[in-house]
Amino acid sequence: MLTAIGRAAARRVLLPSKIAASKLTTQLPHGSVAYRLPKALTLLVAARPLTVSAWMRSPAKISGSKTKRTGTATKKKTTKKASATKKKTKKAAAPKRQTKKVLTPEEKEKADLRHLKKMALLKGPTLLPESAWAVYVTNNIGAGEGKLTERIKGISSRFAGLSESEKEGLKSTAQSNHDANKNTRQQWVEAHPVEAIYMANIARRRIARKTNKSRIYLIHDERLPKRARSAYALFIKSRFSKVNSQSGSSTVQDTFRAMSEEWRSMSESEKQPFKEAAASEMEKSAALLKELKEKARAYWKAQGGVARQVPSVRG
C-alpha cells in the first residue's frame, strides 16, 4: 500500500508517461488496428529525454581547458614582447658620449679672433663715394680694358684733364652722397641694439691689439652713455661764448687761457654749483653704464662667447 505522499509522486511520474504512451501508437500497413506499448516501456521512453549522456558533456570541458591554456600562452607571449620592447627603448635612450676636442693655444687664439670679428660688426652698410675722385673712378672703372692698374692710370690722367665745372659737378655729387651716407649709417646703427654697438667697439679695440694695428675705427652711436663731465668742463661750457665775445679778435687759445685764469681765481662757494652739477651727472652716467654693461655681458654670451672670455667692459 502506498501512502499519500507516494501516490502523489507516482502520479507526477506516470502523468507524462501516459501522454507519451498515447502518442506512441503504430499503424500497421494492412489495417487500422493500433497497438499500445507496455507501461514499463512507456516509462522508459518518457524518461529517456530527461537523461543526458556523459559524452555530451566532455567536449565542453575539453574546449574550456583548451581556451584557458591558449589564454595563458597569449599572456606569456605579450609579456615577452613587452619586455623586449622595453629593452629596446632602454638601449635606444642611452646617449652617446662625445669627446671634446682639445684645442692648442694657437687654435684657441684663432677661434677667439674669429669670434671677435663676428662681434665687431666689421661688415657695415654699403656706402656711396664721398669725394670727387671716388665718384669719377666709380663712374669710369668699368669702361676701360686691360688690368686694373692700367685702367686706374688712364682714369687718373683723364681726371686731371677735367675742367673746373666738371670737377664742381663731381664735388656736388660727392656732397649729396655724403649726406645720404650719414642717414644710411644712422639707420644701420639703430638697427642694432645699443649693447651690440658697445661690444662691437670693445671687440674692435681687442682686434687692434691682437693684430698690432694703431688705427681703430669705432662706431658712433648717440645712444651710448657719455662720460660725465668735470666741474671745470661745465664751467668752460657755460662761459666760453661770453668770454669769446668779450675778447674780440683773440684766438681760441687766448679764450681758454682767460677762462682757466678765471677758474683759478674763483672761490669754493663760486665753484660749488659746478661741482654739484658734475657729481649729479657722474651718478647718472654711472647708473646708465652699469645697466649697459649687464646687457653687454648677456649679449656676448648669447652670441656664443665663453663666459670667461667676456671682454672687460670699461667705461
Side-chain angles (χ1 to χ4, degrees):
M1 295 297 290
L2 295 174
T3 61
I5 296 171
R7 286 195 298 273
R11 196 180 296 113
R12 284 196 299 272
V13 172
L14 293 175
L15 182 61
S17 64
K18 288 180 180 181
I19 296 169
S22 63
K23 292 180 180 180
L24 292 173
T25 58
T26 56
Q27 296 288 337
L28 294 176
H30 59 274
S32 59
V33 181
Y35 294 92
R36 292 183 178 273
L37 295 174
K39 287 185 178 180
L41 187 58
T42 57
L43 288 172
L44 290 173
V45 171
R48 180 69 179 176
L50 299 176
T51 60
V52 180
S53 59
W55 67 270
M56 290 294 290
R57 292 192 299 271
S58 60
K61 291 181 179 179
I62 294 167
S63 62
S65 63
K66 284 183 179 179
T67 53
K68 287 181 181 178
R69 288 177 185 175
T70 54
T72 54
T74 52
K75 284 181 181 179
K76 287 180 180 179
K77 287 181 181 179
T78 53
T79 53
K80 285 181 180 179
K81 288 181 180 179
S83 62
T85 52
K86 284 181 180 179
K87 288 180 181 179
K88 287 181 180 179
T89 52
K90 285 181 180 179
K91 289 181 180 179
K96 294 182 180 179
R97 293 182 180 179
Q98 295 181 355
T99 57
K100 292 184 179 180
K101 183 182 177 181
V102 180
L103 300 177
T104 61
E106 292 79 9
E107 290 175 341
K108 287 181 181 179
E109 188 68 20
K110 289 180 180 179
D112 188 19
L113 189 60
R114 283 197 301 269
H115 187 67
L116 286 173
K117 287 181 179 179
K118 175 187 174 183
M119 298 293 295
L121 302 176
L122 297 176
K123 189 177 180 181
T126 304
L127 302 176
L128 300 172
E130 296 184 357
S131 65
W133 163 250
V135 172
Y136 188 75
V137 170
T138 304
N139 295 337
N140 295 277
I141 192 65
E145 295 180 356
K147 295 181 179 180
L148 181 62
T149 55
E150 295 176 356
R151 282 183 286 172
I152 292 295
K153 287 179 181 179
I155 292 170
S156 178
S157 61
R158 291 195 298 271
F159 180 77
L162 293 176
S163 62
E164 291 297 327
S165 60
E166 290 175 336
K167 289 182 179 180
E168 287 296 328
L170 293 174
K171 287 180 182 179
S172 63
T173 303
Q175 183 61 38
S176 61
N177 289 346
H178 175 75
D179 298 337
N181 288 340
K182 187 177 180 180
N183 295 329
T184 303
R185 288 192 190 96
Q186 186 68 23
Q187 292 174 1
W188 179 80
V189 168
E190 292 177 354
H192 297 83
V194 63
E195 58 268 19
I197 302 298
Y198 183 72
M199 293 305 295
N201 288 335
I202 292 174
R204 291 186 179 200
R205 291 190 186 99
R206 290 192 65 182
I207 291 171
R209 287 199 301 268
K210 286 178 178 293
T211 56
N212 296 323
K213 290 184 178 180
S214 57
R215 298 188 67 179
I216 304 172
Y217 296 95
L218 300 179
I219 304 171
H220 179 72
D221 191 355
E222 292 291 338
R223 299 173 297 173
L224 293 172
K226 296 177 176 60
R227 290 179 179 271
R229 293 169 293 181
S230 63
Y232 178 70
L234 294 174
F235 168 75
I236 293 294
K237 183 180 179 181
S238 64
R239 294 283 294 165
F240 181 79
S241 58
K242 185 177 181 180
V243 174
N244 192 26
S245 62
Q246 289 177 356
S247 60
S249 61
S250 61
T251 61
V252 177
Q253 293 178 354
D254 295 336
T255 304
F256 276 105
R257 190 178 295 110
M259 285 190 296
S260 64
E261 291 176 359
E262 184 180 356
W263 175 258
R264 291 192 196 97
S265 63
M266 290 172 62
S267 62
E268 288 297 325
S269 60
E270 292 174 338
K271 293 180 180 179
Q272 189 62 29
F274 298 102
K275 289 182 179 180
E276 290 177 357
S280 176
E281 189 172 329
M282 185 174 292
E283 185 179 355
K284 291 179 182 178
S285 178
L288 292 174
L289 189 60
K290 183 180 179 181
E291 182 181 358
L292 180 59
K293 285 180 179 181
E294 292 176 357
K295 290 182 179 179
R297 289 178 183 275
Y299 175 77
W300 175 271
K301 294 176 184 177
Q303 294 298 319
V306 184
R308 61 180 177 81
Q309 294 179 349
V310 177
S312 59
V313 282
R314 297 174 183 174

